[in-house]
Amino acid sequence: MQLHFAKDPPLKGRTMTTLIGLLASTGLRSGEVVRLDRGDVDLTKAVVLVRKTTFRKDRMVPMPTTQAALRRYAFEPDAVSLRPKDEYFFLS
């Protein structure tokens, strides 16, 4: 997995912290996490839809322990300004 970041070190730090927290708390694979779209992350129900996993199946993964961190990441003012250009949840 390789992410390339714009020249915003604070955004890079927030992205990596949130991404690693999601990996650690859910057991998702790194490739699954970096492919998440904004629509795949349900911050209200605290679940993530992982599409086309092993054997080409979709699955719902609970994320109650990282819900607050994902919500903060999703709504940070400087991150939100970049969102319309990209459907991916994690900005790079």
Side-chain angles (χ1 to χ4, degrees):
M1 170 184 75
Q2 185 174 5
L3 295 175
H4 298 281
F5 293 93
K7 295 180 180 179
D8 179 9
L11 179 59
K12 179 181 179 181
R14 289 189 298 270
T15 298
M16 294 306 290
T17 300
T18 308
L19 188 147
I20 290 169
L22 184 61
L23 286 168
S25 66
T26 61
L28 292 172
R29 295 173 185 92
S30 59
E32 294 170 338
V33 171
V34 298
R35 285 192 309 266
L36 290 174
D37 287 340
R38 287 180 285 156
D40 297 335
V41 180
D42 189 332
L43 297 170
T44 305
K45 295 179 182 176
V47 294
V48 174
L49 173 62
V50 182
R51 300 176 189 273
K52 296 186 177 121
T53 63
T54 307
F55 305 114
R56 305 279 188 231
K57 294 184 178 184
D58 296 348
R59 72 179 194 275
M60 299 295 286
V61 178
M63 53 156 197
T65 59
T66 55
Q67 179 183 18
L70 289 170
R71 181 173 282 128
R72 279 190 306 273
Y73 177 79
F75 295 109
E76 288 192 31
D78 57 343
V80 173
S81 67
L82 299 172
R83 295 247 177 240
K85 299 176 189 174
D86 201 349
E87 288 296 316
Y88 290 110
F89 185 81
F90 289 104
L91 301 176
S92 63

